[in-house]
Amino acid sequence: MIFDTHLHLIDRSRLSYPWLASLPPLDRDWDFASYCATAARLGITDVLHMEVDVAEADIDAETAWIADLMAQPGSLLRGAISAARPESPGFADWLDRLDRRVVKGIRRVLHVVPDEVSQTALFRENVRRLGTAGLPFDICMLQRQLPLATDLVDACPDTTFILDHCGVPDIVGGNFDGWAARITNLARRDNLHVKLSGITAYGPADWTADTLRPYVQHVIETFGPARVVWGSDSPVCTLHSSLAEWVALTQLLLAGQTAEDRSAILQGNARRLWL
């Protein structure tokens, strides 16, 4: 079984996606039925929807849409990781209104805003509220921003964090050692997990298993199998791979792990964190 902790769905007739026009290969609707047809062939049995950086006014509408999809008979969806604005003075009231049957975690994409946003006192205060509420926070930052991620995690020791996309390594740029050193440092924080997701999109178009193997090995070695979760990052993964290719690559790169550790990475850790 595979628990996909990072599915993006897109419906341009329903929600506004300000960033989408800048990525023509993704600038279309990506519907749940099509994903489910592929998931059934790949062994994906459980799914969390990851917010898609919709316009701020559409954040609650996105969550309501996912709630409707969860209610469908036999739905694979187990919840939503909702977009949020922890830098907003109204965050605490918004958090109190959340339907916790639907919202299982929170994310604020941080590579699209000034670096200072995640460093403000209000942002950190509100992320600490997530710890009290029992909601994990997904960190989505670029490799150069990883020291900022370290500062945020240290400032919120009672909040559970998930570092998306292996910390977005600059695979094309080739600075493996710089990324690896920062990942090693981050992994010392017990309240931080890492998501094995997205890295085919950050590699060259002609990537191979050997291109990406060092990145996967390093996050597993530093975080340990108990703090690694898996995500498809569909449809972003389709920039340089298909969803099926990413699943096959994952299975190949995890082949050296024990059956127990493979199960933890592919589904067990996700159930513990979000369900």
Side-chain angles (χ1 to χ4, degrees):
M1 296 187 295
I2 299 175
F3 194 134
D4 183 357
T5 67
H6 208 102
L7 168 66
H8 300 295
L9 297 174
I10 294 174
D11 185 340
R12 296 167 302 168
S13 68
R14 183 187 298 264
L15 303 168
S16 176
Y17 306 86
W19 60 272
L20 198 54
S22 66
L23 274 175
L26 300 181
D27 192 9
R28 65 175 180 85
D29 292 345
W30 297 82
D31 67 282
F32 190 46
S34 297
Y35 169 84
C36 288
T38 301
R41 297 175 175 178
L42 299 176
I44 295 173
T45 57
D46 303 89
V47 182
L48 288 176
H49 182 263
M50 173 58 72
E51 60 90 15
V52 197
D53 201 19
V54 297
E56 185 172 352
D58 284 343
I59 288 176
D60 291 341
E62 183 180 49
T63 300
W65 176 35
I66 300 308
D68 289 343
L69 293 175
M70 288 175 65
Q72 294 179 355
S75 178
L76 301 183
L77 277 166
R78 304 294 174 250
I81 299 175
S82 173
R85 297 293 184 267
E87 68 270 28
S88 168
F91 179 85
D93 290 339
W94 175 85
L95 184 62
D96 288 341
R97 297 194 302 270
L98 286 182
D99 184 348
R100 296 292 300 279
R101 296 169 298 179
V102 177
V103 177
K104 304 299 182 180
I106 298 296
R107 185 171 81 158
R108 171 58 157 136
V109 179
L110 291 169
H111 60 76
V112 300
V113 296
D115 288 351
E116 294 75 20
V117 168
S118 68
Q119 308 298 291
T120 66
L122 178 60
F123 190 98
R124 293 178 175 190
E125 177 186 353
N126 282 329
V127 172
R128 283 192 287 269
R129 293 179 190 274
L130 298 178
T132 302
L135 287 171
F137 183 81
D138 273 61
I139 297 176
C140 192
M141 288 180 166
L142 303 177
Q143 175 174 323
R144 68 165 184 82
Q145 297 174 301
L146 291 180
L148 303 178
T150 303
D151 291 344
L152 179 60
V153 173
D154 285 345
C156 308
D158 296 323
T159 298
T160 297
F161 292 90
I162 297 88
L163 183 66
D164 288 350
H165 311 323
C166 299
V168 191
D170 182 15
I171 300 173
V172 173
N175 184 15
F176 176 84
D177 290 342
W179 167 84
R182 290 174 175 178
I183 291 296
T184 298
N185 184 41
L186 275 163
R188 298 188 178 103
R189 280 80 185 159
D190 291 339
N191 59 324
L192 177 65
H193 298 65
V194 67
K195 188 173 294 185
L196 186 57
S197 61
I199 57 173
T200 60
Y202 304 121
D206 61 349
W207 63 266
T208 67
D210 288 339
T211 308
L212 303 179
R213 187 187 310 275
Y215 298 90
V216 174
Q217 288 181 335
H218 189 70
V219 296
I220 294 175
E221 288 170 0
T222 53
F223 279 86
R227 287 195 288 144
V228 181
V229 296
W230 186 86
S232 70
D233 198 22
S234 180
V236 180
C237 69
T238 65
L239 291 173
H240 285 160
S241 72
S242 66
L243 173 55
E245 285 174 326
W246 172 228
V247 171
L249 176 65
T250 299
Q251 299 285 12
L252 173 65
L253 297 183
L254 295 183
Q257 304 293 317
T258 67
E260 181 180 8
D261 287 345
R262 286 197 303 272
S263 179
I265 292 168
L266 291 174
Q267 55 94 18
N269 295 336
R271 295 181 189 281
R272 172 173 50 83
L273 283 171
W274 284 289
L275 300 188

